[in-house]
Amino acid sequence: MSALLAFLPILVTIILMAGFNWPAKKALPLALLLAIGVAFFHWDMTIQHVLGYTFFGFLKAIDILIIIFGAILILNTLKLSGAMTTINNGFSGITTDRRIQAIIIGFMFGAFIEGAAGFGTPAALAGPLLVGLGFPPLAAALVALIFNSVPVPFGAVGTPIFGAMSTLDANIESLGVAPDSFMMTLTQWIAIPNAIAGIFIPLLGLAIMTRIFGKSKSIKPALAAAPFAIFAGLAFMIPYVLIATIFGPELPSLVGAFIGLGIIIFAAKRGFLVPKKKWDFPEESAWPKIWRSNIDTGSTGQAKMSLLKAWSPYLLIAVILVITRIPTFGIKEFLVDQTLTFNNVANISGLTYALKWAYLPGTIPFVLVALITHFMHKMPMKDVKKAWKLTFKQIGGAAIALFAGVGMVQLMLNSGVNGNGMDSMLTEMAEAAAGLSGAAYPFFATIIGALGSFMSGSATVSNILFMSFQFETATILDFSQVLITAMQGIGAGIGNMICVNNVVAVAATVGCIGAEGKIIRTNALPAFIYYLLITLIVGILIY
């Protein structure tokens, strides 16, 4: 009974978001109110502890919001300065083979944008660009979403991992290890299995594309491009793993994709591993209605600056991130020391919140580089103001969802402080899940992560909701906590292929409004194949 009541807020979230298409900013506040009610009436927590731990969660959400704000700000700045148009136009002269274009733009450029901005922007940017090159809008939406999965666990400079860590403090203390050490180990074991599976994701995306949108309705054209597709997977995944192992969660997707993008563009221009026979879609006149755009998506516009100047903000971001994350330079320690500390939050002894405002990537480099870009790209003041106004407007929905989500998880985590002598809500749920699944639990860990992002539209929210739950279940069943939580992190990325929010966003940007159900049903297959690969790889390690 207690486990069922503890699960009720999460169950309501799933039903409202997946069943009734409620946005996270509406569903999560209601779930938080339910959690407060359960904590007060069934767990017999005091008002001080209920409100105190909820407020502590609100404070924890500020860290993530600062990162999101900076990521959106730099993206809006580049759009309004004309840099993004220049970057997009720069891709059109590389190759005319649709398979290679899909890999360069949908997979590698999308991964770079995921590493830099995340939060649904990669597919929404790559999709219209592919349409501009001549892709059927439905094909652009499908492949952009399939490819926006591998880089997601480290998207927006590691935000999903930081979101996970915001809920794992108490769990990690029980292991007797430092949080930073656990985060580095978790980062490594998300990267390694994900990289092995990720090598084949470009080929999987091409197979779906040629099977559905090719003249012959066959995967043979995709197999003909398999050498280039696997080469592209390796070009991204090798630096991805190395950077994750050495530097942590902020840089694998961002820098790994930047390196991979340079490699595969160089290879494509020289015809390296590119199929000799060019592949294209049928003539536009032969496209079924569902393939087409049903709105005016606009044009890409004219390039306003050189490619180097357009890319310079992203280059600057990568350089600053590297310099500020390597202890040898001495800057990391200085930035970490710039901390605002609040002791005994809500008069609860030992409850401390520390805001490392200078070390958060949302501040340095994102906001810093956005300010530099205003001058570097000679933006008119009206465009500068518009970029900031747009960012504040876009952050509103995310803020409500994150405050409610992190507040709910912190309350559930700390609900062990109660008058009934009960375990916390998450422990009760974990014990029930352990009892039901037993030794088969690793088969469900990745699905839970995917379910979280499917219902919330965010790998970060999925990790906030379920990472601590997965940790506790692994502890009860005596599985490796690192490997089970790694499956949660990877699963949260897999769910991006089919999550309602992203599907709606990309369908709207390419003009396929009304085809959302078709996109989810089609992408369920590659998502399931991805799940099987991860479960096989990590399952071997666990068992």
PDB file of all heavy atoms in Angstrom, residues 337-374:
ATOM      1  N   ASP A 337      35.322  27.892  -6.332  1.00  0.00           N
ATOM      2  CA  ASP A 337      35.316  28.624  -5.058  1.00  0.00           C
ATOM      3  C   ASP A 337      34.304  29.768  -5.035  1.00  0.00           C
ATOM      4  O   ASP A 337      33.953  30.273  -3.963  1.00  0.00           O
ATOM      5  CB  ASP A 337      36.720  29.177  -4.755  1.00  0.00           C
ATOM      6  CG  ASP A 337      37.690  28.079  -4.350  1.00  0.00           C
ATOM      7  OD1 ASP A 337      37.215  26.994  -3.965  1.00  0.00           O
ATOM      8  OD2 ASP A 337      38.917  28.305  -4.428  1.00  0.00           O
ATOM      9  N   GLN A 338      33.856  30.196  -6.223  1.00  0.00           N
ATOM     10  CA  GLN A 338      32.860  31.284  -6.272  1.00  0.00           C
ATOM     11  C   GLN A 338      31.480  30.675  -6.001  1.00  0.00           C
ATOM     12  O   GLN A 338      30.698  30.424  -6.899  1.00  0.00           O
ATOM     13  CB  GLN A 338      32.888  31.972  -7.640  1.00  0.00           C
ATOM     14  CG  GLN A 338      34.261  32.399  -8.119  1.00  0.00           C
ATOM     15  CD  GLN A 338      35.009  33.236  -7.097  1.00  0.00           C
ATOM     16  OE1 GLN A 338      34.500  34.238  -6.606  1.00  0.00           O
ATOM     17  NE2 GLN A 338      36.221  32.816  -6.774  1.00  0.00           N
ATOM     18  N   THR A 339      31.210  30.432  -4.742  1.00  0.00           N
ATOM     19  CA  THR A 339      30.020  29.683  -4.339  1.00  0.00           C
ATOM     20  C   THR A 339      29.165  30.478  -3.354  1.00  0.00           C
ATOM     21  O   THR A 339      29.700  31.083  -2.415  1.00  0.00           O
ATOM     22  CB  THR A 339      30.425  28.342  -3.688  1.00  0.00           C
ATOM     23  OG1 THR A 339      31.229  27.594  -4.608  1.00  0.00           O
ATOM     24  CG2 THR A 339      29.207  27.521  -3.308  1.00  0.00           C
ATOM     25  N   LEU A 340      27.864  30.453  -3.590  1.00  0.00           N
ATOM     26  CA  LEU A 340      26.905  31.011  -2.637  1.00  0.00           C
ATOM     27  C   LEU A 340      26.341  29.850  -1.817  1.00  0.00           C
ATOM     28  O   LEU A 340      25.733  28.934  -2.374  1.00  0.00           O
ATOM     29  CB  LEU A 340      25.775  31.738  -3.365  1.00  0.00           C
ATOM     30  CG  LEU A 340      26.166  32.982  -4.181  1.00  0.00           C
ATOM     31  CD1 LEU A 340      24.959  33.496  -4.963  1.00  0.00           C
ATOM     32  CD2 LEU A 340      26.704  34.072  -3.272  1.00  0.00           C
ATOM     33  N   THR A 341      26.559  29.875  -0.500  1.00  0.00           N
ATOM     34  CA  THR A 341      26.165  28.761   0.359  1.00  0.00           C
ATOM     35  C   THR A 341      25.046  29.170   1.310  1.00  0.00           C
ATOM     36  O   THR A 341      25.109  30.240   1.931  1.00  0.00           O
ATOM     37  CB  THR A 341      27.366  28.258   1.176  1.00  0.00           C
ATOM     38  OG1 THR A 341      28.427  27.907   0.273  1.00  0.00           O
ATOM     39  CG2 THR A 341      27.000  27.036   1.999  1.00  0.00           C
ATOM     40  N   PHE A 342      24.045  28.317   1.408  1.00  0.00           N
ATOM     41  CA  PHE A 342      22.922  28.553   2.322  1.00  0.00           C
ATOM     42  C   PHE A 342      22.844  27.366   3.282  1.00  0.00           C
ATOM     43  O   PHE A 342      22.523  26.247   2.869  1.00  0.00           O
ATOM     44  CB  PHE A 342      21.618  28.692   1.538  1.00  0.00           C
ATOM     45  CG  PHE A 342      21.627  29.823   0.541  1.00  0.00           C
ATOM     46  CD1 PHE A 342      22.055  29.601  -0.764  1.00  0.00           C
ATOM     47  CD2 PHE A 342      21.231  31.089   0.893  1.00  0.00           C
ATOM     48  CE1 PHE A 342      22.084  30.627  -1.696  1.00  0.00           C
ATOM     49  CE2 PHE A 342      21.248  32.132  -0.027  1.00  0.00           C
ATOM     50  CZ  PHE A 342      21.682  31.901  -1.320  1.00  0.00           C
ATOM     51  N   ASN A 343      23.177  27.618   4.544  1.00  0.00           N
ATOM     52  CA  ASN A 343      23.174  26.558   5.557  1.00  0.00           C
ATOM     53  C   ASN A 343      21.811  26.459   6.241  1.00  0.00           C
ATOM     54  O   ASN A 343      21.076  27.443   6.355  1.00  0.00           O
ATOM     55  CB  ASN A 343      24.246  26.826   6.612  1.00  0.00           C
ATOM     56  CG  ASN A 343      25.646  26.795   6.026  1.00  0.00           C
ATOM     57  OD1 ASN A 343      26.000  25.845   5.316  1.00  0.00           O
ATOM     58  ND2 ASN A 343      26.445  27.799   6.300  1.00  0.00           N
ATOM     59  N   ASN A 344      21.506  25.245   6.701  1.00  0.00           N
ATOM     60  CA  ASN A 344      20.275  24.993   7.460  1.00  0.00           C
ATOM     61  C   ASN A 344      19.043  25.552   6.739  1.00  0.00           C
ATOM     62  O   ASN A 344      18.278  26.362   7.288  1.00  0.00           O
ATOM     63  CB  ASN A 344      20.375  25.590   8.876  1.00  0.00           C
ATOM     64  CG  ASN A 344      21.540  25.007   9.651  1.00  0.00           C
ATOM     65  OD1 ASN A 344      21.870  23.828   9.491  1.00  0.00           O
ATOM     66  ND2 ASN A 344      22.168  25.824  10.475  1.00  0.00           N
ATOM     67  N   VAL A 345      18.873  25.130   5.495  1.00  0.00           N
ATOM     68  CA  VAL A 345      17.737  25.588   4.685  1.00  0.00           C
ATOM     69  C   VAL A 345      16.433  25.252   5.404  1.00  0.00           C
ATOM     70  O   VAL A 345      16.245  24.136   5.904  1.00  0.00           O
ATOM     71  CB  VAL A 345      17.767  24.927   3.287  1.00  0.00           C
ATOM     72  CG1 VAL A 345      16.501  25.265   2.501  1.00  0.00           C
ATOM     73  CG2 VAL A 345      19.008  25.355   2.526  1.00  0.00           C
ATOM     74  N   ALA A 346      15.535  26.217   5.470  1.00  0.00           N
ATOM     75  CA  ALA A 346      14.221  26.076   6.128  1.00  0.00           C
ATOM     76  C   ALA A 346      14.366  25.637   7.582  1.00  0.00           C
ATOM     77  O   ALA A 346      13.520  24.917   8.117  1.00  0.00           O
ATOM     78  CB  ALA A 346      13.347  25.090   5.349  1.00  0.00           C
ATOM     79  N   ASN A 347      15.469  26.076   8.211  1.00  0.00           N
ATOM     80  CA  ASN A 347      15.753  25.754   9.621  1.00  0.00           C
ATOM     81  C   ASN A 347      15.856  24.254   9.879  1.00  0.00           C
ATOM     82  O   ASN A 347      15.615  23.780  10.990  1.00  0.00           O
ATOM     83  CB  ASN A 347      14.684  26.355  10.545  1.00  0.00           C
ATOM     84  CG  ASN A 347      14.795  27.866  10.610  1.00  0.00           C
ATOM     85  OD1 ASN A 347      15.893  28.421  10.640  1.00  0.00           O
ATOM     86  ND2 ASN A 347      13.649  28.545  10.639  1.00  0.00           N
ATOM     87  N   ILE A 348      16.239  23.510   8.846  1.00  0.00           N
ATOM     88  CA  ILE A 348      16.477  22.068   9.010  1.00  0.00           C
ATOM     89  C   ILE A 348      17.979  21.867   9.150  1.00  0.00           C
ATOM     90  O   ILE A 348      18.749  22.162   8.226  1.00  0.00           O
ATOM     91  CB  ILE A 348      15.926  21.271   7.811  1.00  0.00           C
ATOM     92  CG1 ILE A 348      14.406  21.446   7.711  1.00  0.00           C
ATOM     93  CG2 ILE A 348      16.277  19.795   7.951  1.00  0.00           C
ATOM     94  CD1 ILE A 348      13.781  20.792   6.487  1.00  0.00           C
ATOM     95  N   SER A 349      18.404  21.372  10.284  1.00  0.00           N
ATOM     96  CA  SER A 349      19.831  21.238  10.587  1.00  0.00           C
ATOM     97  C   SER A 349      20.533  20.336   9.572  1.00  0.00           C
ATOM     98  O   SER A 349      20.050  19.240   9.253  1.00  0.00           O
ATOM     99  CB  SER A 349      20.004  20.668  11.994  1.00  0.00           C
ATOM    100  OG  SER A 349      21.369  20.496  12.298  1.00  0.00           O
ATOM    101  N   GLY A 350      21.666  20.829   9.048  1.00  0.00           N
ATOM    102  CA  GLY A 350      22.478  20.046   8.120  1.00  0.00           C
ATOM    103  C   GLY A 350      22.043  20.105   6.674  1.00  0.00           C
ATOM    104  O   GLY A 350      22.722  19.575   5.795  1.00  0.00           O
ATOM    105  N   LEU A 351      20.912  20.748   6.399  1.00  0.00           N
ATOM    106  CA  LEU A 351      20.431  20.855   5.018  1.00  0.00           C
ATOM    107  C   LEU A 351      21.068  22.087   4.379  1.00  0.00           C
ATOM    108  O   LEU A 351      20.701  23.217   4.684  1.00  0.00           O
ATOM    109  CB  LEU A 351      18.909  20.966   4.991  1.00  0.00           C
ATOM    110  CG  LEU A 351      18.228  20.774   3.623  1.00  0.00           C
ATOM    111  CD1 LEU A 351      18.489  19.376   3.074  1.00  0.00           C
ATOM    112  CD2 LEU A 351      16.727  21.023   3.723  1.00  0.00           C
ATOM    113  N   THR A 352      22.050  21.859   3.503  1.00  0.00           N
ATOM    114  CA  THR A 352      22.858  22.944   2.940  1.00  0.00           C
ATOM    115  C   THR A 352      22.750  22.957   1.419  1.00  0.00           C
ATOM    116  O   THR A 352      22.836  21.911   0.764  1.00  0.00           O
ATOM    117  CB  THR A 352      24.336  22.783   3.341  1.00  0.00           C
ATOM    118  OG1 THR A 352      24.424  22.804   4.767  1.00  0.00           O
ATOM    119  CG2 THR A 352      25.179  23.910   2.775  1.00  0.00           C
ATOM    120  N   TYR A 353      22.590  24.155   0.885  1.00  0.00           N
ATOM    121  CA  TYR A 353      22.562  24.323  -0.575  1.00  0.00           C
ATOM    122  C   TYR A 353      23.718  25.224  -0.985  1.00  0.00           C
ATOM    123  O   TYR A 353      23.918  26.297  -0.412  1.00  0.00           O
ATOM    124  CB  TYR A 353      21.241  24.956  -1.029  1.00  0.00           C
ATOM    125  CG  TYR A 353      21.258  25.399  -2.478  1.00  0.00           C
ATOM    126  CD1 TYR A 353      21.316  24.466  -3.507  1.00  0.00           C
ATOM    127  CD2 TYR A 353      21.243  26.754  -2.815  1.00  0.00           C
ATOM    128  CE1 TYR A 353      21.346  24.862  -4.841  1.00  0.00           C
ATOM    129  CE2 TYR A 353      21.266  27.155  -4.154  1.00  0.00           C
ATOM    130  CZ  TYR A 353      21.325  26.204  -5.150  1.00  0.00           C
ATOM    131  OH  TYR A 353      21.369  26.599  -6.459  1.00  0.00           O
ATOM    132  N   ALA A 354      24.487  24.769  -1.979  1.00  0.00           N
ATOM    133  CA  ALA A 354      25.623  25.543  -2.484  1.00  0.00           C
ATOM    134  C   ALA A 354      25.440  25.792  -3.972  1.00  0.00           C
ATOM    135  O   ALA A 354      25.322  24.843  -4.766  1.00  0.00           O
ATOM    136  CB  ALA A 354      26.927  24.800  -2.222  1.00  0.00           C
ATOM    137  N   LEU A 355      25.392  27.072  -4.370  1.00  0.00           N
ATOM    138  CA  LEU A 355      25.253  27.445  -5.771  1.00  0.00           C
ATOM    139  C   LEU A 355      26.623  27.832  -6.326  1.00  0.00           C
ATOM    140  O   LEU A 355      27.158  28.899  -6.017  1.00  0.00           O
ATOM    141  CB  LEU A 355      24.275  28.619  -5.919  1.00  0.00           C
ATOM    142  CG  LEU A 355      24.116  29.195  -7.340  1.00  0.00           C
ATOM    143  CD1 LEU A 355      23.555  28.144  -8.288  1.00  0.00           C
ATOM    144  CD2 LEU A 355      23.233  30.439  -7.326  1.00  0.00           C
ATOM    145  N   LYS A 356      27.203  26.958  -7.133  1.00  0.00           N
ATOM    146  CA  LYS A 356      28.505  27.236  -7.763  1.00  0.00           C
ATOM    147  C   LYS A 356      28.246  28.001  -9.056  1.00  0.00           C
ATOM    148  O   LYS A 356      28.453  27.500 -10.162  1.00  0.00           O
ATOM    149  CB  LYS A 356      29.255  25.928  -8.017  1.00  0.00           C
ATOM    150  CG  LYS A 356      29.569  25.154  -6.736  1.00  0.00           C
ATOM    151  CD  LYS A 356      30.251  23.827  -7.027  1.00  0.00           C
ATOM    152  CE  LYS A 356      30.518  23.062  -5.732  1.00  0.00           C
ATOM    153  NZ  LYS A 356      31.145  21.755  -5.974  1.00  0.00           N
ATOM    154  N   TRP A 357      27.830  29.243  -8.913  1.00  0.00           N
ATOM    155  CA  TRP A 357      27.308  30.023 -10.044  1.00  0.00           C
ATOM    156  C   TRP A 357      28.348  30.246 -11.142  1.00  0.00           C
ATOM    157  O   TRP A 357      28.009  30.261 -12.323  1.00  0.00           O
ATOM    158  CB  TRP A 357      26.785  31.371  -9.542  1.00  0.00           C
ATOM    159  CG  TRP A 357      27.841  32.252  -8.928  1.00  0.00           C
ATOM    160  CD1 TRP A 357      28.225  32.292  -7.624  1.00  0.00           C
ATOM    161  CD2 TRP A 357      28.660  33.199  -9.613  1.00  0.00           C
ATOM    162  NE1 TRP A 357      29.228  33.196  -7.436  1.00  0.00           N
ATOM    163  CE2 TRP A 357      29.528  33.775  -8.640  1.00  0.00           C
ATOM    164  CE3 TRP A 357      28.759  33.627 -10.937  1.00  0.00           C
ATOM    165  CZ2 TRP A 357      30.465  34.746  -8.978  1.00  0.00           C
ATOM    166  CZ3 TRP A 357      29.691  34.583 -11.268  1.00  0.00           C
ATOM    167  CH2 TRP A 357      30.536  35.142 -10.292  1.00  0.00           C
ATOM    168  N   ALA A 358      29.603  30.417 -10.789  1.00  0.00           N
ATOM    169  CA  ALA A 358      30.631  30.705 -11.798  1.00  0.00           C
ATOM    170  C   ALA A 358      31.057  29.446 -12.551  1.00  0.00           C
ATOM    171  O   ALA A 358      31.482  29.526 -13.707  1.00  0.00           O
ATOM    172  CB  ALA A 358      31.844  31.358 -11.139  1.00  0.00           C
ATOM    173  N   TYR A 359      30.945  28.279 -11.885  1.00  0.00           N
ATOM    174  CA  TYR A 359      31.393  27.036 -12.513  1.00  0.00           C
ATOM    175  C   TYR A 359      30.307  26.413 -13.382  1.00  0.00           C
ATOM    176  O   TYR A 359      30.590  25.577 -14.234  1.00  0.00           O
ATOM    177  CB  TYR A 359      31.830  26.038 -11.438  1.00  0.00           C
ATOM    178  CG  TYR A 359      32.494  24.806 -11.991  1.00  0.00           C
ATOM    179  CD1 TYR A 359      33.729  24.892 -12.635  1.00  0.00           C
ATOM    180  CD2 TYR A 359      31.899  23.549 -11.879  1.00  0.00           C
ATOM    181  CE1 TYR A 359      34.341  23.763 -13.152  1.00  0.00           C
ATOM    182  CE2 TYR A 359      32.509  22.412 -12.390  1.00  0.00           C
ATOM    183  CZ  TYR A 359      33.734  22.527 -13.020  1.00  0.00           C
ATOM    184  OH  TYR A 359      34.346  21.408 -13.531  1.00  0.00           O
ATOM    185  N   LEU A 360      29.054  26.812 -13.186  1.00  0.00           N
ATOM    186  CA  LEU A 360      27.982  26.272 -14.019  1.00  0.00           C
ATOM    187  C   LEU A 360      28.195  26.693 -15.474  1.00  0.00           C
ATOM    188  O   LEU A 360      28.394  27.879 -15.745  1.00  0.00           O
ATOM    189  CB  LEU A 360      26.622  26.781 -13.526  1.00  0.00           C
ATOM    190  CG  LEU A 360      26.121  26.201 -12.203  1.00  0.00           C
ATOM    191  CD1 LEU A 360      24.862  26.934 -11.761  1.00  0.00           C
ATOM    192  CD2 LEU A 360      25.847  24.708 -12.336  1.00  0.00           C
ATOM    193  N   PRO A 361      28.136  25.760 -16.438  1.00  0.00           N
ATOM    194  CA  PRO A 361      28.386  26.125 -17.839  1.00  0.00           C
ATOM    195  C   PRO A 361      27.372  27.125 -18.394  1.00  0.00           C
ATOM    196  O   PRO A 361      27.647  27.799 -19.381  1.00  0.00           O
ATOM    197  CB  PRO A 361      28.314  24.789 -18.581  1.00  0.00           C
ATOM    198  CG  PRO A 361      27.621  23.853 -17.649  1.00  0.00           C
ATOM    199  CD  PRO A 361      27.928  24.313 -16.268  1.00  0.00           C
ATOM    200  N   GLY A 362      26.200  27.228 -17.761  1.00  0.00           N
ATOM    201  CA  GLY A 362      25.242  28.215 -18.213  1.00  0.00           C
ATOM    202  C   GLY A 362      25.764  29.635 -18.077  1.00  0.00           C
ATOM    203  O   GLY A 362      25.424  30.518 -18.876  1.00  0.00           O
ATOM    204  N   THR A 363      26.601  29.858 -17.052  1.00  0.00           N
ATOM    205  CA  THR A 363      27.180  31.190 -16.824  1.00  0.00           C
ATOM    206  C   THR A 363      28.439  31.388 -17.648  1.00  0.00           C
ATOM    207  O   THR A 363      28.545  32.315 -18.455  1.00  0.00           O
ATOM    208  CB  THR A 363      27.509  31.371 -15.323  1.00  0.00           C
ATOM    209  OG1 THR A 363      26.392  30.977 -14.533  1.00  0.00           O
ATOM    210  CG2 THR A 363      27.863  32.813 -15.013  1.00  0.00           C
ATOM    211  N   ILE A 364      29.421  30.514 -17.385  1.00  0.00           N
ATOM    212  CA  ILE A 364      30.678  30.515 -18.135  1.00  0.00           C
ATOM    213  C   ILE A 364      30.845  29.109 -18.710  1.00  0.00           C
ATOM    214  O   ILE A 364      31.008  28.154 -17.950  1.00  0.00           O
ATOM    215  CB  ILE A 364      31.891  30.851 -17.227  1.00  0.00           C
ATOM    216  CG1 ILE A 364      31.722  32.254 -16.618  1.00  0.00           C
ATOM    217  CG2 ILE A 364      33.192  30.765 -17.998  1.00  0.00           C
ATOM    218  CD1 ILE A 364      32.813  32.597 -15.599  1.00  0.00           C
ATOM    219  N   PRO A 365      30.705  28.943 -20.024  1.00  0.00           N
ATOM    220  CA  PRO A 365      30.877  29.971 -21.047  1.00  0.00           C
ATOM    221  C   PRO A 365      29.613  30.552 -21.697  1.00  0.00           C
ATOM    222  O   PRO A 365      29.705  31.517 -22.425  1.00  0.00           O
ATOM    223  CB  PRO A 365      31.673  29.224 -22.112  1.00  0.00           C
ATOM    224  CG  PRO A 365      31.119  27.826 -22.042  1.00  0.00           C
ATOM    225  CD  PRO A 365      30.798  27.584 -20.593  1.00  0.00           C
ATOM    226  N   PHE A 366      28.403  29.943 -21.510  1.00  0.00           N
ATOM    227  CA  PHE A 366      27.282  30.299 -22.379  1.00  0.00           C
ATOM    228  C   PHE A 366      26.908  31.778 -22.340  1.00  0.00           C
ATOM    229  O   PHE A 366      26.882  32.449 -23.378  1.00  0.00           O
ATOM    230  CB  PHE A 366      26.070  29.425 -22.045  1.00  0.00           C
ATOM    231  CG  PHE A 366      26.101  28.062 -22.690  1.00  0.00           C
ATOM    232  CD1 PHE A 366      25.181  27.092 -22.342  1.00  0.00           C
ATOM    233  CD2 PHE A 366      27.063  27.741 -23.633  1.00  0.00           C
ATOM    234  CE1 PHE A 366      25.208  25.831 -22.928  1.00  0.00           C
ATOM    235  CE2 PHE A 366      27.107  26.495 -24.227  1.00  0.00           C
ATOM    236  CZ  PHE A 366      26.167  25.539 -23.871  1.00  0.00           C
ATOM    237  N   VAL A 367      26.557  32.282 -21.172  1.00  0.00           N
ATOM    238  CA  VAL A 367      26.154  33.699 -21.096  1.00  0.00           C
ATOM    239  C   VAL A 367      27.325  34.596 -21.496  1.00  0.00           C
ATOM    240  O   VAL A 367      27.154  35.584 -22.221  1.00  0.00           O
ATOM    241  CB  VAL A 367      25.647  34.050 -19.691  1.00  0.00           C
ATOM    242  CG1 VAL A 367      25.451  35.563 -19.545  1.00  0.00           C
ATOM    243  CG2 VAL A 367      24.325  33.334 -19.399  1.00  0.00           C
ATOM    244  N   LEU A 368      28.536  34.235 -21.039  1.00  0.00           N
ATOM    245  CA  LEU A 368      29.727  35.013 -21.380  1.00  0.00           C
ATOM    246  C   LEU A 368      29.927  35.079 -22.892  1.00  0.00           C
ATOM    247  O   LEU A 368      30.142  36.164 -23.467  1.00  0.00           O
ATOM    248  CB  LEU A 368      30.962  34.399 -20.708  1.00  0.00           C
ATOM    249  CG  LEU A 368      32.305  35.034 -21.063  1.00  0.00           C
ATOM    250  CD1 LEU A 368      32.353  36.491 -20.618  1.00  0.00           C
ATOM    251  CD2 LEU A 368      33.460  34.240 -20.439  1.00  0.00           C
ATOM    252  N   VAL A 369      29.835  33.937 -23.568  1.00  0.00           N
ATOM    253  CA  VAL A 369      30.045  33.896 -25.025  1.00  0.00           C
ATOM    254  C   VAL A 369      28.902  34.616 -25.754  1.00  0.00           C
ATOM    255  O   VAL A 369      29.132  35.272 -26.777  1.00  0.00           O
ATOM    256  CB  VAL A 369      30.193  32.444 -25.521  1.00  0.00           C
ATOM    257  CG1 VAL A 369      30.184  32.380 -27.045  1.00  0.00           C
ATOM    258  CG2 VAL A 369      31.481  31.833 -24.981  1.00  0.00           C
ATOM    259  N   ALA A 370      27.692  34.522 -25.225  1.00  0.00           N
ATOM    260  CA  ALA A 370      26.576  35.257 -25.838  1.00  0.00           C
ATOM    261  C   ALA A 370      26.843  36.758 -25.813  1.00  0.00           C
ATOM    262  O   ALA A 370      26.619  37.456 -26.809  1.00  0.00           O
ATOM    263  CB  ALA A 370      25.271  34.941 -25.100  1.00  0.00           C
ATOM    264  N   LEU A 371      27.358  37.257 -24.688  1.00  0.00           N
ATOM    265  CA  LEU A 371      27.685  38.690 -24.573  1.00  0.00           C
ATOM    266  C   LEU A 371      28.792  39.070 -25.563  1.00  0.00           C
ATOM    267  O   LEU A 371      28.725  40.118 -26.212  1.00  0.00           O
ATOM    268  CB  LEU A 371      28.114  39.018 -23.143  1.00  0.00           C
ATOM    269  CG  LEU A 371      27.018  38.913 -22.074  1.00  0.00           C
ATOM    270  CD1 LEU A 371      27.618  39.045 -20.681  1.00  0.00           C
ATOM    271  CD2 LEU A 371      25.943  39.972 -22.289  1.00  0.00           C
ATOM    272  N   ILE A 372      29.799  38.207 -25.672  1.00  0.00           N
ATOM    273  CA  ILE A 372      30.893  38.469 -26.620  1.00  0.00           C
ATOM    274  C   ILE A 372      30.366  38.465 -28.058  1.00  0.00           C
ATOM    275  O   ILE A 372      30.748  39.304 -28.887  1.00  0.00           O
ATOM    276  CB  ILE A 372      32.021  37.427 -26.450  1.00  0.00           C
ATOM    277  CG1 ILE A 372      32.686  37.588 -25.075  1.00  0.00           C
ATOM    278  CG2 ILE A 372      33.060  37.548 -27.569  1.00  0.00           C
ATOM    279  CD1 ILE A 372      33.643  36.463 -24.723  1.00  0.00           C
ATOM    280  N   THR A 373      29.455  37.518 -28.348  1.00  0.00           N
ATOM    281  CA  THR A 373      28.903  37.392 -29.701  1.00  0.00           C
ATOM    282  C   THR A 373      28.100  38.630 -30.101  1.00  0.00           C
ATOM    283  O   THR A 373      28.086  39.018 -31.280  1.00  0.00           O
ATOM    284  CB  THR A 373      28.026  36.127 -29.800  1.00  0.00           C
ATOM    285  OG1 THR A 373      28.812  34.986 -29.420  1.00  0.00           O
ATOM    286  CG2 THR A 373      27.508  35.917 -31.223  1.00  0.00           C
ATOM    287  N   HIS A 374      27.420  39.247 -29.148  1.00  0.00           N
ATOM    288  CA  HIS A 374      26.679  40.479 -29.449  1.00  0.00           C
ATOM    289  C   HIS A 374      27.583  41.497 -30.156  1.00  0.00           C
ATOM    290  O   HIS A 374      27.183  42.158 -31.115  1.00  0.00           O
ATOM    291  CB  HIS A 374      26.128  41.112 -28.161  1.00  0.00           C
ATOM    292  CG  HIS A 374      25.109  40.272 -27.445  1.00  0.00           C
ATOM    293  ND1 HIS A 374      24.374  39.292 -28.063  1.00  0.00           N
ATOM    294  CD2 HIS A 374      24.703  40.272 -26.137  1.00  0.00           C
ATOM    295  CE1 HIS A 374      23.563  38.720 -27.182  1.00  0.00           C
ATOM    296  NE2 HIS A 374      23.748  39.306 -26.011  1.00  0.00           N
TER     297      HIS A 374
END
